Amino acid sequence: MEEVVYYNCEGFGDDKNSAQVNGIATSIHSQSHNLAFRQSSSYPHGSAITGTNPGDRVFVASKGKALISVYTWGKESPDQRIPVPEQLTALTLCPNSQELYTENFESEDESNIPKFRLPYLLIGGGVSGMIYTWELNSGLLLSVKEAHYQSISALKTTNDGSFLVSAGKDARILIWKITDLVSFVKDDDRVIKPVHVISDNTLEITDIFINNSIYQDTKLYTVSRDCTIRIYDIVKFQLLSTFIIGQQIESIVVDSADRAIYIGLSNGNIRQINIYEPNPATNILEARGGFGKVVTLSEDHQLTNTLTHHSPNAVTSLALSLDGSLIISGDSIGKVTVADVVSKQVVKELKELGSKITNIQVINFYKSNQIVEKTQKAIPQFKRIISNKNPKEQEVVYQIGEDDEKKLFDIDAHLDRVAQEALQFENLTTINSEVVMTDAYDGSSSEKVQELEGKVTKATKAYTDLRKMYEDLYSEHTKLLENQ
């Protein structure tokens, strides 16, 4: 398995023919896997990936155009350019249930895996503040919601597909139930509203992050240009902690074990905020913040928890490797680097794109020699009006994998396996493996045994004499005590 990083930029204004490469996918640890995506410029958080297996797709909301470009993983040019009602500034995917869709297919026999598989929903945020929800397997527009007063800056869904979090330039964060967005409601009087509205910030929300945890421990991390990092409990809709720093924040990523927060600043620094720190008195790890506490971060003059290799260019996007040991960062001039979080040293520089990096995502890649099919089934065209509310009239396109025709008992395979096991016990070399038994008690050995027996006898006699002497002395001591 490899770790592949996908990143793209906002593009160039003079690229009229859209011929330049705006997106790249490459391995973090080697150069064995390197893909290019043309015409893939987007706003920040304006792209989404379903996976890296054959048949997986990359969705990019084209900057400056009311289009979504759809790429098959491994292809350089888009397969489809789907028109949408307006320019989209953010995209996110909502997965199917675990039985229908899994992110990574890893098995010895992949013949029964469908080549055309898609997540359940594609959700986009527009420049007008609208949220659009499409069902990918049918192309139907399920809902359009007036969410924010200004354009949407980021969209995220929880891993179980329960909640959608939207952040906008109007400094608000809205939490929606996805079941409300896709429900077929015949009552026209019912108005679908967010389950919670967060208005704690005073300036634009630049990035949000949802941790990869169980439902009861799901946390939302937000950063804003008002120099604050806020942590919320999504289930209880409660503010847990607030961190204040002296620079505007552009991006955020959190360690998968919730050990540290990494934020990209407008001055080009990446600041590490440890969520747990040892108590100076007891040397026991204690959580920082919690219960609505406000923590003001001091300047890191010793650069103990700061990476400065992007300075003075703003760090616009961040991602972590799967084990949290490497941080991948992109800045406002298109530079992308991989750095070690412990030593704070750059270990690798990726290909520059020449303009602001808008998206970075690290994903698993299981095969290095995948064959990209020339023809792929097209995704249904997205509707631009809300679909009929009758679910019986929907047509869903879904490919079913080939039947797995495994025999209950394959006699040929069993005989081959037995033959391979038998080879383990056969001697196929010229080495003589015969075991020769010899008498271990020859003449010299007998003399050594007698010598050892004599030593044991002397030691036993000396021990016996010493024990008798000790017992006599003890008896004499006892008598003296009795006479007193």
Side-chain angles (χ1 to χ4, degrees):
M1 183 188 74
E2 292 185 12
E3 292 177 277
V4 173
V5 57
Y6 164 83
Y7 59 96
N8 70 325
C9 65
E10 65 177 2
F12 308 90
D14 56 351
D15 187 17
K16 297 181 180 180
N17 298 325
S18 299
Q20 297 184 1
V21 173
N22 303 127
I24 288 177
T26 183
S27 173
I28 297 178
H29 306 286
S30 65
Q31 297 292 341
S32 59
H33 187 70
N34 199 335
L35 300 176
F37 298 90
R38 297 186 182 275
Q39 309 171 31
S40 60
S41 60
S42 70
Y43 291 98
H45 315 110
S47 66
I49 306 173
T50 64
T52 60
N53 292 289
D56 281 317
R57 301 299 206 280
V58 179
F59 298 91
V60 178
S62 300
K63 183 180 179 181
K65 302 176 183 178
L67 293 173
I68 294 179
S69 299
V70 182
Y71 300 79
T72 299
W73 181 260
K75 287 190 175 181
E76 188 175 272
S77 300
D79 292 333
Q80 295 175 259
R81 296 176 69 84
I82 302 175
V84 290
E86 63 172 317
Q87 293 184 43
L88 299 182
T89 57
L91 287 180
T92 190
L93 294 168
C94 179
N96 298 324
S97 62
Q98 190 66 23
E99 293 77 16
L100 296 178
Y101 179 82
T102 54
E103 182 178 355
N104 296 313
F105 294 95
E106 183 182 12
S107 61
E108 296 181 359
D109 183 13
E110 296 186 353
S111 60
N112 62 336
I113 296 177
K115 301 300 182 184
F116 180 76
R117 55 186 181 274
L118 295 170
Y120 175 36
L121 302 173
L122 176 68
I123 305 174
V127 293
S128 64
M130 295 278 195
I131 294 179
Y132 301 86
T133 305
W134 285 279
E135 185 180 41
L136 283 175
N137 286 318
S138 64
L140 297 178
L141 180 60
L142 302 182
S143 66
V144 179
K145 301 307 300 178
E146 295 181 359
H148 294 268
Y149 303 117
Q150 298 183 42
S151 63
I152 295 176
S153 55
L155 291 172
K156 299 283 184 176
T157 59
T158 55
N159 291 336
D160 58 358
S162 299
F163 294 99
L164 167 71
V165 181
S166 63
K169 292 185 177 181
D170 58 357
R172 296 195 311 157
I173 296 173
L174 308 181
I175 302 177
W176 308 77
K177 273 190 176 180
I178 292 184
T179 53
D180 292 340
L181 297 177
V182 300
S183 61
F184 297 95
V185 182
K186 294 184 179 180
D187 186 4
D188 295 334
D189 296 333
R190 179 185 174 187
V191 179
I192 298 175
K193 296 181 179 180
V195 294
H196 192 66
V197 179
I198 300 174
S199 303
D200 298 333
N201 296 96
T202 57
L203 293 177
E204 170 190 350
I205 307 295
T206 54
D207 199 0
I208 58 178
F209 184 90
I210 299 177
N211 67 338
N212 228 356
S213 186
I214 58 177
Y215 173 75
Q216 294 295 332
D217 194 34
T218 303
K219 295 183 179 64
L220 169 66
Y221 300 80
T222 70
V223 293
S224 171
R225 295 196 187 278
D226 61 7
C227 309
T228 60
I229 307 106
R230 302 179 191 270
I231 306 175
Y232 297 90
D233 187 333
I234 288 186
V235 178
K236 299 178 181 179
F237 307 121
Q238 180 182 2
L239 176 62
L240 300 178
S241 304
T242 301
F243 294 91
I244 301 175
I245 196 169
Q247 291 287 335
Q248 289 188 348
I249 309 169
E250 301 289 338
S251 54
I252 184 173
V253 69
V254 182
D255 182 81
S256 57
D258 292 341
R259 296 170 295 188
I261 303 172
Y262 301 89
I263 54 174
L265 304 178
S266 58
N267 64 355
N269 292 342
I270 301 172
R271 182 71 181 268
Q272 175 182 340
I273 305 172
N274 295 319
I275 301 178
Y276 300 93
E277 284 192 345
N279 188 314
T282 62
N283 203 27
I284 298 175
L285 282 178
E286 296 180 355
R288 303 175 69 185
F291 303 102
K293 185 177 180 181
V294 179
V295 179
T296 302
L297 302 174
S298 58
E299 291 291 336
D300 187 13
H301 297 291
Q302 301 297 327
L303 302 181
T304 306
N305 296 312
T306 306
L307 292 83
T308 61
H309 52 271
H310 284 291
S311 182
N313 305 305
V315 180
T316 56
S317 191
L318 291 173
L320 285 171
S321 61
L322 301 180
D323 61 355
S325 62
L326 300 175
I327 184 167
I328 302 93
S329 55
D331 60 22
S332 57
I333 63 171
K335 181 180 178 181
V336 182
T337 60
V338 180
D340 184 79
V341 299
V342 176
S343 64
K344 307 294 186 295
Q345 299 296 318
V346 176
V347 298
K348 187 177 182 181
E349 292 189 357
L350 305 182
K351 184 177 179 180
E352 294 188 18
L353 293 180
S355 63
K356 176 182 176 181
I357 301 298
T358 54
N359 300 274
I360 296 180
Q361 184 175 347
V362 177
I363 41 183
N364 291 334
F365 182 75
Y366 287 99
K367 288 188 175 181
S368 58
N369 56 351
Q370 294 189 15
I371 299 175
V372 179
E373 297 182 5
K374 295 182 178 179
T375 58
Q376 291 285 349
K377 188 175 183 61
I379 293 176
Q381 288 290 320
F382 294 166
K383 305 297 182 182
R384 285 183 280 183
I385 57 174
I386 298 179
S387 64
N388 191 329
K389 293 298 183 181
N390 186 1
K392 295 182 180 180
E393 297 182 4
Q394 291 193 20
E395 294 182 358
V396 177
V397 180
Y398 193 85
Q399 181 182 357
I400 300 175
E402 300 176 1
D403 294 335
D404 190 4
E405 299 179 354
K406 290 185 177 180
K407 300 179 182 179
L408 294 178
F409 181 75
D410 192 343
I411 185 63
D412 295 332
H414 174 71
L415 293 176
D416 291 340
R417 184 171 62 256
V418 171
Q420 292 294 329
E421 293 174 353
L423 285 175
Q424 303 296 326
F425 299 95
E426 294 184 6
N427 185 8
L428 304 180
T429 66
T430 57
I431 299 176
N432 184 9
S433 60
E434 181 181 357
V435 178
V436 179
M437 301 297 294
T438 59
D439 187 5
Y441 295 97
D442 54 4
S444 60
S445 300
S446 299
E447 293 177 359
K448 291 181 180 179
V449 169
Q450 292 177 0
E451 182 182 354
L452 292 174
E453 288 178 350
K455 291 182 179 180
V456 171
T457 302
K458 291 180 181 179
T460 303
K461 185 177 182 303
Y463 172 74
T464 304
D465 295 342
L466 183 63
R467 183 178 179 84
K468 185 177 182 303
M469 185 184 300
Y470 171 77
E471 291 177 351
D472 294 341
L473 289 173
Y474 185 76
S475 299
E476 188 70 23
H477 176 69
T478 304
K479 290 178 182 179
L480 291 174
L481 291 176
E482 290 176 354
N483 294 332
Q484 292 179 357

